Amino acid sequence: MQLHDHMKYLDMGCKMACIPRYQWKGRPTERMLYASEQRIVFLLGTICQIFQIAGVLIYWWCNGRMAKDTGTFVAQLSEMCSSFTLTFVGFCNVYALSVNRKQIETLLEELQELYPRSRNNHYRCRHYFDLAMAIMRIEFLFYMFFYVYYNSAPVLLLLWEHLHEGYDLSYKTQTNTWFPWKVHGSTLGFAMAVLSITLGSFVGVGFSIVTQNLVCLFSFQLKLHYDGISSQLVSLDCRQPGAHQELRILIAYHCRILQLGDQVNSILNFVFGSSLVGATIAICMSSISILLLDFASACKYVSGLVAFVLYNFVICYMGTEVSSAAADTQSYVAEISEATGALMLVAVGFFNICVLSNRRPEIEILLTDLRELYPRPRDRNYRQQYYFGMANGFMKFEFIYFWMFTLYYNTAPLVVMMYEYLVDGMEMRYKTQINTWYPWKVYGSAIGYGVGHFATFISSIEGVAFSLGTHNIICIMTYQLKLHFDAISNQLLKLDSRHPGANQELRRLIAYHSHVIQIADSFNEIMNFSFLGGLFFSTTALCMTSVAILLLDLQSAVKCINGLIAFIVYNFVICFLGTEFTLALPAAAVGSSHHELANQLYLYSWDDGGIIQ
């Protein structure tokens, strides 16, 4: 058995990608049929992929973003993101494998030289061959099924619509893509559109199969050698005369395998990065699309979702297999998870400091506008006490929780330090709130430790205070806007069209509604940066902190649990208040036609007396 025996499905993927199979010194050569035709198909497929990436974005910009209701807009955005990432990941594979082809063939040649002889009992060649071939077979069959379904579904749907009376022909292609020719209503235009996407996906799926098979091949080859080294080390007898020389040979062999692993990582780093980011985004957006789209579109995206899950799983599984075979990665993963969680905690506080400091004048202007709009105490159209109680209770809960979090966060290291000092035989570790580097000595120095702890204490107090300030402003704005939208809804319900002043009252309510919406838009513009940073950093922290809890010791895990709950509360508050505000809008909305009327009628200005024409 040789290395080229593993290349069956990889060669089939190369044929689908329309590229020559990987060749190296020592591998039997094979005559490539239709080489020039394959090169043409490869170039056309790559051009179609590039065009599709741009076409998906243009289509969404011209059509998808114009959706009137929130559900349709989110569905169109999710569909665009999943289609874009599907094509983008395929194109990244085309680029990475084309640029690094020579390095891949050199690496395969080195693996061929290192491939063990069949009679060497230290290597489980058959075991790893069977595993690799089984995984590559499953991958190949699944991606071929996915390709056939993905490209035949639009044609079958159009045929079904043609055969059933009463159905308008939708002319839906595989993805919502803009084309510079007419597609809807044109058989020739529709056929050209479907053919261009089919050609691009043919090359893209072929390169994805090659990428996955290369990852599988490299992973199991490295595992084969690590396993062989381990077996030889276990059987090494130090009493034998040549044991020392044998050990030197094994160390050199191990170093060479590690170098090969580094080369694999270097060659495929771009593929790993782009694939994992793209596949993760596609999984999230495809899941949303499935929930919001019609049945036919949802079925199409179910297949894409399964493909991306498999794609992500294979890369992660292979990486885990190699890491577990090469070294103990648990400590490393725990450290990086803890460090990332701590960094995100500081980043959220810093973002809130930046936003509230830079946008303070605009926030004060909005609060002034709300104060001028605040209703009189006896006005029955406004549920002032209800919304005051809701906002006050919400802010009180947040204040108590986050200050309890701050108290535990800053006192826990001191309590642990005191415990280590009082218990005999325990070494004092001088651990601060988070693992931070200081330009002075901390370990073994009471003064250095105290200064480091105090610096972290001051920064955490400021970060929590600004985070509370951000949440309180969001809470106040949300419930104030809900108060006004609720009042507008009540006044519209009470409006009697038979009353002589009803028309003027309706004009006043429309102008009032437009003014409140303008305040909401201004507030959204001010806090957009804070929303984006807060949600991104807190979501990242939730993932990494959860990993750290599973891998760290009890004391560190308890501290991370406290941080995890804090991030959950932080995320929940922003999402809950945003949902509250969004749900308040339909109650006060007067329809799209009235909203257009409001834009025409908003030639009024506000003063203490109300509306002046």
Side-chain angles (χ1 to χ4, degrees), residues 193-401:
V194 171
L195 181 61
S196 67
I197 297 177
T198 302
L199 190 59
S201 62
F202 183 77
V203 174
V205 170
F207 269 89
S208 297
I209 291 173
V210 173
T211 302
Q212 296 268 286
N213 288 350
L214 280 175
V215 173
C216 182
L217 177 65
F218 288 145
S219 298
F220 282 110
Q221 284 299 298
L222 293 173
K223 278 178 68 67
L224 170 68
H225 290 289
Y226 287 134
D227 192 14
I229 292 170
S230 176
S231 176
Q232 292 177 68
L233 284 172
V234 170
S235 62
L236 188 63
D237 189 354
C238 62
R239 296 169 296 182
Q240 296 295 326
H244 182 71
Q245 185 62 28
E246 182 69 18
L247 181 60
R248 292 173 65 91
I249 294 173
L250 286 176
I251 291 173
Y253 176 28
H254 184 253
C255 290
R256 189 177 180 188
I257 298 301
L258 288 175
Q259 288 177 346
L260 289 179
D262 290 339
Q263 290 177 34
V264 171
N265 217 28
S266 175
I267 292 170
L268 296 178
N269 256 342
F270 179 75
V271 171
F272 294 151
S274 60
S275 298
L276 289 177
V277 171
T280 303
I281 294 173
I283 288 171
C284 297
M285 304 311 286
S286 299
S287 303
I288 297 173
S289 301
I290 291 167
L291 296 176
L292 298 177
L293 290 172
D294 58 276
F295 181 73
S297 301
C299 290
K300 179 178 67 176
Y301 282 99
V302 165
S303 66
L305 177 64
V306 176
F308 273 117
V309 169
L310 178 64
Y311 192 94
N312 232 348
F313 170 77
V314 168
I315 292 179
C316 295
Y317 171 74
M318 292 301 166
T320 305
E321 285 288 292
V322 174
S323 300
S324 60
D328 180 17
T329 57
Q330 179 171 326
S331 300
Y332 174 77
V333 173
E335 287 290 335
I336 197 172
S337 301
E338 187 180 13
T340 305
L343 181 63
M344 295 302 104
L345 180 67
V346 178
V348 167
F350 182 73
F351 260 63
N352 289 324
I353 292 172
C354 291
V355 171
L356 294 191
S357 301
N358 293 333
R359 308 306 293 268
R360 183 183 178 91
E362 294 96 322
I363 293 173
E364 290 179 342
I365 291 172
L366 285 183
L367 291 173
T368 302
D369 286 347
L370 288 174
R371 182 184 62 82
E372 292 175 356
L373 285 176
Y374 201 76
R376 297 173 182 176
R378 296 182 180 180
D379 195 333
R380 295 184 178 179
N381 291 315
Y382 297 85
R383 296 192 293 167
Q384 299 177 47
Q385 193 61 38
Y386 170 75
Y387 286 112
F388 171 78
M390 290 286 290
N392 195 50
F394 206 88
M395 290 187 286
K396 183 179 180 181
F397 163 76
E398 273 198 284
F399 181 85
I400 293 173
Y401 173 74

Side-chain angles (χ1 to χ4, degrees), residues 4 21 23-24 26-30:
H4 56 76
R21 72 174 194 168
Q23 192 70 39
W24 62 87
R27 187 184 186 191
T29 57
E30 181 183 74

Side-chain angles (χ1 to χ4, degrees), residues 488-552:
I488 292 170
S489 179
N490 289 334
Q491 293 176 68
L492 283 172
L493 289 173
K494 294 178 182 178
L495 191 63
D496 188 354
S497 59
R498 296 169 296 183
H499 194 275
N503 189 44
Q504 185 62 26
E505 179 66 12
L506 180 60
R507 286 170 174 263
R508 185 189 71 81
L509 288 174
I510 292 174
Y512 177 25
H513 182 253
S514 295
H515 188 58
V516 175
I517 286 179
Q518 283 184 348
I519 292 175
D521 288 341
S522 300
F523 176 66
N524 204 39
E525 190 273 329
I526 290 171
M527 301 302 293
N528 257 340
F529 189 64
S530 180
F531 293 152
L532 176 63
L535 289 175
F536 174 77
F537 289 126
S538 60
T539 303
T540 305
L542 285 173
C543 299
M544 302 307 290
T545 307
S546 302
V547 175
I549 290 169
L550 298 175
L551 301 178
L552 290 171

Side-chain angles (χ1 to χ4, degrees), residues 15-16 26 82 159 284 293 296-297 419 438 490 579-580:
K15 288 181 181 178
M16 187 173 180
S82 56
L159 179 63
C284 297
L293 290 172
S297 301
Y419 174 77
Y438 296 98
N490 289 334
T579 305
E580 284 286 290

Side-chain angles (χ1 to χ4, degrees), residues 16 143-152 198 201-202 205:
M16 187 173 180
Y143 279 110
M144 288 303 300
F145 173 79
F146 165 73
Y147 171 78
V148 172
Y149 173 77
Y150 180 77
N151 291 289
S152 63
T198 302
S201 62
F202 183 77
V205 170

Side-chain angles (χ1 to χ4, degrees), residues 439-456:
W440 59 83
K441 183 181 179 182
V442 174
Y443 185 82
S445 171
I447 297 176
Y449 175 78
V451 174
H453 188 279
F454 182 73
T456 309

